[in-house]
């Protein structure tokens, strides 16, 4: 494929990588957006709850809640074509094992100024297990529609190259610039690199011979389900503890089903994402992760356990049927496990050549990039 030069090379074509590419391209920079997959949004930007966080989910981290709330409305406005706002979002507080009480949750929502309306828990929940319920204002997004919008926007800009199916083989410094070597005999020279690969954050840093970020990895399962008529326009979340959530998966007609207890299958505290299933695949390694969603040796689905948990906490009117599991690796900054904070990380590893990591699990924090890439 020869040799190319760019002002910026961005690794990872999830929502953060694509938004960064758009911001830089609008400043007339020549940008290469690179992904190991054959198309964007194949991993974490697609395989998630599709929740646009307004703050409700983080009563134990005020900073995360406020940050989510600040950008919520802008995200809903900018991507209105991909927003599902036609459902009621209900939060329930469990009678046992909850890390937040109903009173604490009400005070928290009042403090960060997000709407909350108390309702009878028995409308949706098993009243023997859920002591309080609240109607909130929280929507979901359709990742496929957002992906398609980004692709069309970027394709219209001549100095942006969308390079899919590329695997970084080597990175070396030559005259204060990086020379990057890829499969398919492509080489790229650039003075600036953005690492927006999420699960492969440290794997990319390793190839640049840069220090790792302390991270924890979880091989997670999100299950798509078909809701019954009662649940069709409702999203239910029980918090804050080892509970579950079922809510509309964007505009697909399906719901996402997840559980704090059963969604994580395999934790990894190694510097690089290391899992036992990699022993059965020569092509998937901590340095070069393949897509878990397509993996023939991925874990068995936790559907039976999640469904049983749902039967325990929801009432007889709530029901749904299995459609398919989705698997992806979730990446958490190690220090975040102390208070449940989910900060957006922008870490500069090298000034010349420039290397910065972008790491976040909340889609509506993409706007933080505007200040960072000023």
């Amino acid at each position: 494929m020869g040799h190319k030069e760019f002002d910026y090379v961005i690794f990872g074509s999830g929502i953060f990588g694509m938004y960064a590419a758009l911001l830089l391209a609008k400043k007339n920079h020549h940008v290469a957006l690179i992904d190991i997959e054959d198309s964007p949004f194949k991993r974490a930007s697609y395989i998630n709850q599709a929740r646009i966080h307004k703050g409700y989910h983080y009563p134990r981290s005020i900073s995360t809640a406020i940050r989510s709330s600040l950008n919520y409305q802008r995200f809903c406005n900018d991507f209105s074509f991909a927003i599902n706002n036609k459902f009621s979002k209900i939060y329930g507080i469990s009678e046992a094992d909850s890390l937040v009480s109903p009173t604490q949750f009400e005070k928290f929502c009042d403090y960060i100024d997000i709407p909350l309306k108390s309702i009878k828990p028995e409308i949706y929940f098993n009243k023997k297990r859920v002591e309080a319920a609240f109607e909130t204002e929280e929507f979901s997004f359709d990742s496929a529609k957002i992906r398609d919008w980004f692709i069309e926007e970027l394709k219209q800009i001549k100095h942006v190259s969308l390079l899919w199916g590329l695997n970084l083989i080597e990175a070396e410094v030559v005259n204060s610039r990086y020379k990057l070597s890829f499969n398919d005999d492509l080489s790229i020279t650039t003075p600036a690199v953005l690492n927006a690969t999420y699960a492969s954050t440290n794997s990319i840093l390793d190839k640049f011979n840069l220090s790792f970020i302390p991270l924890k990895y979880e091989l997670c399962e999100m299950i798509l389900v078909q809701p019954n008529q009662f649940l069709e326009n409702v999203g239910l979340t029980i918090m804050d503890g080892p509970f579950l959530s079922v809510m509309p998966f964007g505009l697909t007609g399906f719901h996402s089903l997840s559980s704090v207890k059963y969604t994580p299958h395999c934790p990894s505290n190694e510097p690089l994402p290391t899992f036992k299933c990699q022993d059965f695949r020569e092509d998937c390694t901590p340095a070069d992760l393949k897509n878990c969603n397509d993996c023939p040796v991925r874990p068995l689905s936790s559907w039976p356990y999640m469904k049983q948990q749902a039967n325990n906490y929801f009432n007889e009117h709530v029901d749904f049927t299995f459609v398919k599991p989705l698997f992806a690796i979730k990446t958490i900054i190690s220090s975040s496990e102390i208070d449940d904070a989910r900060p957006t990380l922008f870490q500069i590893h090298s000034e010349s050549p420039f290397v910065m990591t972008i790491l976040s699990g909340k889609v509506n924090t993409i706007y933080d990039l505007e200040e960072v890439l000023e």
Side-chain angles (χ1 to χ4, degrees), residues 265-283:
H265 280 266
C266 309
S268 172
N269 290 298
E270 300 297 322
L272 299 180
T274 306
F275 302 98
K276 291 182 179 179
C277 49
Q278 291 166 341
D279 294 341
F280 302 96
R281 287 190 65 176
E282 293 182 0
D283 60 336

Side-chain angles (χ1 to χ4, degrees), residues 93-111:
I93 308 294
S94 175
E95 182 86 27
D97 299 323
S98 179
L99 299 174
V100 62
S101 70
T103 300
Q104 289 171 331
F105 189 60
E106 288 182 290
K107 289 182 178 179
F108 158 75
C109 292
D110 182 63
Y111 180 77

Side-chain angles (χ1 to χ4, degrees), residues 3 19 40 45 59 76 105 160 201 250 277 282 300 325 336 340:
H3 180 79
Y19 193 62
S45 288
C76 291
F105 189 60
V160 173
T201 292
C277 49
E282 293 182 0
L300 294 175
S336 297
D340 201 39

Side-chain angles (χ1 to χ4, degrees), residues 253-264:
F254 300 128
H255 276 37
S256 63
L257 172 65
S258 61
S259 166
V260 172
K261 186 175 182 179
Y262 298 116
T263 284

Side-chain angles (χ1 to χ4, degrees), residues 35-306:
D35 203 290
I36 195 171
E37 296 283 358
D38 58 7
S39 62
F41 275 53
K42 291 290 286 286
R43 301 193 185 189
S45 288
Y46 163 58
I47 302 168
N48 57 72
Q49 289 179 315
R51 183 199 309 270
I52 310 170
H53 284 276
K54 194 167 184 174
Y56 297 103
H57 212 64
Y58 294 99
R60 289 183 289 121
S61 176
I62 295 295
S63 60
T64 302
I66 290 175
R67 201 69 208 154
S68 298
S69 179
L70 283 175
N71 292 320
Y72 177 85
Q73 196 57 54
R74 181 181 174 187
F75 188 91
C76 291
N77 292 341
D78 287 352
F79 299 100
S80 58
F81 57 87
I83 304 303
N84 185 345
N85 58 3
K86 305 299 184 183
F87 68 96
S88 300
K89 187 67 183 72
I90 311 299
Y91 276 83
I93 308 294
S94 175
E95 182 86 27
D97 299 323
S98 179
L99 299 174
V100 62
S101 70
T103 300
Q104 289 171 331
F105 189 60
E106 288 182 290
K107 289 182 178 179
F108 158 75
C109 292
D110 182 63
Y111 180 77
I112 66 170
D113 195 25
I114 52 179
L116 192 72
K117 177 185 176 183
S118 179
I119 64 171
K120 294 180 179 179
E122 58 266 29
I123 297 174
Y124 301 102
F125 302 104
N126 178 347
K127 61 181 180 180
K128 294 181 179 179
R129 289 181 176 267
V130 176
E131 64 172 315
F134 302 92
E135 185 173 349
T136 68
E137 184 182 288
E138 198 169 57
F139 305 145
S140 68
F141 67 93
D142 194 296
S143 64
K145 292 185 179 296
I146 293 177
R147 173 202 64 203
D148 293 346
W149 180 86
F150 271 115
I151 291 174
E152 289 306 310
E153 289 291 311
L154 291 169
K155 279 184 176 179
Q156 294 177 33
I157 304 174
K158 292 182 178 179
H159 46 275
V160 173
S161 292
L162 306 178
L163 304 174
W164 315 135
L166 286 183
N167 189 16
L168 178 63
I169 305 300
E170 184 181 31
E172 57 180 329
V173 179
V174 179
N175 297 326
S176 298
R177 298 167 70 89
Y178 274 113
K179 181 181 178 183
L180 309 176
S181 300
F182 298 88
N183 56 320
D184 294 340
D185 296 322
L186 170 67
S187 66
I188 291 176
T189 300
T190 182
V193 171
L194 302 183
N195 177 13
T197 56
Y198 193 59
S200 294
T201 292
N202 280 344
S203 303
I204 291 291
L205 293 176
D206 190 35
K207 293 182 180 181
F208 282 84
N209 197 29
L210 295 168
S211 298
F212 294 146
I213 298 171
L215 298 174
K216 177 183 177 180
Y217 309 93
E218 293 177 339
L219 202 171
C220 291
E221 177 186 13
M222 194 70 53
I223 299 178
L224 295 188
V225 299
Q226 183 68 61
N228 67 352
Q229 188 173 1
F230 182 81
L231 185 61
E232 186 176 6
N233 294 312
V234 178
L236 302 174
T237 296
I238 301 175
M239 58 176 310
D240 179 14
F243 308 117
L244 74 160
S245 179
V246 59
M247 60 180 289
F249 191 64
L251 297 167
T252 65
F254 300 128
H255 276 37
S256 63
L257 172 65
S258 61
S259 166
V260 172
K261 186 175 182 179
Y262 298 116
T263 284
H265 280 266
C266 309
S268 172
N269 290 298
E270 300 297 322
L272 299 180
T274 306
F275 302 98
K276 291 182 179 179
C277 49
Q278 291 166 341
D279 294 341
F280 302 96
R281 287 190 65 176
E282 293 182 0
D283 60 336
C284 181
T285 68
D288 290 302
L289 286 175
K290 299 303 178 184
N291 193 321
C292 298
N293 198 44
D294 303 326
C295 182
V297 294
R298 68 191 187 190
L300 294 175
S301 175
S302 289
W303 160 252
Y305 307 105
M306 290 197 207

